[in-house]
Amino acid sequence: MNLHALRIFTNVAKLGGITAAAYSMLISQPAVTIQIRKLEKEIGAKLIEGKGRGIQLTPEGKFLYEQGMRLFYLEAQIDEKVDKFLTKEDKIHIASSYIPINYILPPIIAKYKLAHPHIEFFVSLGNVQSVEEQVLNYGVDFGFVVQSKIGHTDLQFEKVLDIPFWFIVHPSHPLANQTVSMNELSNEDFIYRERGSSTLDLLESIFYTFNAPLPKLGLQMQGLHESIKVVESGYGMTLAPSYSVSESITGGKLAQVYVEQADIQQSLFICSRKSDLIEQPFIQFLKDHINA
């Protein structure tokens, strides 16, 4: 495949038009068009269609764009790794969902940084879906996610820790500190998380497992912290990891609701690419210190 033409095509797709891509790459619009046509001929499929003043990707174009972006992310990572090797510098790029980045990773990163002061850390926050996409597309070295279901043909997930999840309410709630059935919870106003959140997936799977109706949607909040704050203010019930609510329960700001015959938990996974053959030293350090 003509990689020069593929690079031009991915820029057209990313920027949404031939004019913008030509300007960003400092080449003429006719040259961009010629390369796109050559690539379409080589592939044997139409890649873009006109849409107003912009363009629209065909299904074949969308697939090629995604694969091209992954290829050029990998190219950039190779350049960076070679540069780090030559300059004797090192950088670690991590993507993490909310729970690891707030409650698990900070003390371990601090210990590692103290032992290896020359290493630079870059840690970004996202939900499970975005973390997996960043790892898959070579945007980061590896990721950390908390979830109950995993699976992607190009990614591997290694479990390192189990995290309990609790149903929580305001201490004045009628179910505070009570033990109830899952069906009783179906009648409660719940704070739901956003789509893409592993906590929402967990909530739905719990009720399906117990053959109980999903609870009423009281609010839908993007973010764990925001959901907990709503409950602390006196409204509704939500599902949250023990790490994030144990202090508030001890301090009397929240209370737990216990469910009969339900041991609810999710696992912390290291998310990496199956194509990566060498384990990052930080990962082994984390395994050695996560329960310390």
Side-chain angles (χ1 to χ4, degrees):
M1 180 181 292
N2 186 326
L3 293 183
H4 175 63
L6 179 61
R7 192 183 301 276
I8 290 175
F9 166 71
T10 57
N11 273 278
V12 169
K14 180 169 63 175
L15 298 174
I18 290 175
T19 302
Y23 180 81
S24 70
M25 301 184 75
L26 302 177
I27 56 179
S28 68
Q29 293 183 40
V32 171
T33 302
I34 289 171
Q35 291 299 322
I36 296 296
R37 297 292 174 258
K38 285 183 177 179
L39 186 60
E40 289 179 330
K41 185 176 181 180
E42 182 181 2
I43 296 297
K46 194 169 181 61
L47 300 175
I48 63 174
E49 297 173 338
K51 184 181 180 182
R53 295 185 178 180
I55 56 101
Q56 179 174 299
L57 297 181
T58 64
E60 294 83 358
K62 290 179 181 178
F63 172 79
L64 191 62
Y65 169 65
E66 291 173 357
Q67 301 307 311
M69 289 300 292
R70 290 174 63 181
L71 175 64
F72 296 128
Y73 271 128
L74 176 58
E75 178 189 44
Q77 188 180 63
I78 291 173
D79 289 340
E80 181 182 329
K81 294 293 185 183
V82 170
D83 183 62
K84 285 190 291 187
F85 178 78
L86 294 175
T87 60
K88 307 303 181 182
E89 295 179 354
D90 205 358
K91 298 177 182 178
I92 300 176
H93 293 263
I94 301 172
S96 172
S97 57
Y98 184 91
I99 298 168
I101 204 173
N102 279 277
Y103 303 104
I104 299 170
L105 292 178
I108 297 174
I109 289 176
K111 288 180 182 178
Y112 195 82
K113 181 69 176 177
L114 288 170
H116 306 85
H118 65 285
I119 293 180
E120 299 178 12
F121 276 89
F122 300 87
V123 186
S124 61
L125 171 65
N127 61 26
V128 171
Q129 183 178 348
S130 68
V131 170
E132 291 179 354
E133 288 175 353
Q134 288 185 74
V135 175
L136 188 63
N137 293 325
Y138 293 88
V140 296
D141 297 308
F142 50 86
F144 291 91
V145 293
V146 174
Q147 54 186 350
S148 56
K149 59 179 184 179
I150 59 173
H152 194 289
T153 55
D154 296 320
L155 296 177
Q156 61 183 7
F157 297 84
E158 182 178 359
K159 187 173 81 169
V160 291
L161 185 69
D162 286 323
I163 300 174
F165 273 67
W166 298 339
F167 290 106
I168 57 166
V169 293
H170 190 270
S172 64
H173 193 284
L175 297 185
N177 302 310
Q178 301 298 308
T179 300
V180 299
S181 68
M182 193 65 69
N183 278 285
E184 288 178 79
L185 293 187
S186 298
N187 299 317
E188 297 299 320
D189 292 326
F190 254 74
I191 316 301
Y192 278 66
R193 289 287 303 282
E194 75 280 2
R195 280 291 162 197
S197 162
S198 64
T199 303
L200 178 58
D201 292 339
L202 177 62
L203 177 69
E204 292 176 342
S205 67
I206 293 166
F207 281 87
Y208 290 145
T209 299
F210 280 82
N211 198 27
L214 286 172
K216 293 186 292 184
L217 172 60
L219 290 171
Q220 187 162 30
M221 301 288 291
Q222 183 169 0
L224 174 64
H225 176 74
E226 292 78 3
S227 302
I228 293 171
K229 284 300 180 182
V230 171
V231 177
E232 281 188 1
S233 299
Y235 178 78
M237 178 185 299
T238 198
L239 181 67
S242 58
Y243 280 92
S244 63
V245 295
S246 55
E247 288 187 9
S248 293
I249 290 174
T250 302
K253 294 181 179 180
L254 292 170
Q256 192 173 350
V257 179
Y258 304 94
V259 181
E260 296 170 352
Q261 300 179 327
D263 179 22
I264 304 168
Q265 63 182 22
Q266 283 188 311
S267 299
L268 170 65
F269 290 91
I270 301 169
C271 173
S272 59
R273 293 172 289 272
K274 288 182 179 179
S275 58
D276 292 347
L277 302 179
I278 301 175
E279 184 176 73
Q280 230 283 344
F282 173 76
I283 292 179
Q284 185 58 55
F285 183 88
L286 177 135
K287 293 175 187 177
D288 293 340
H289 292 80
I290 197 163
N291 292 311

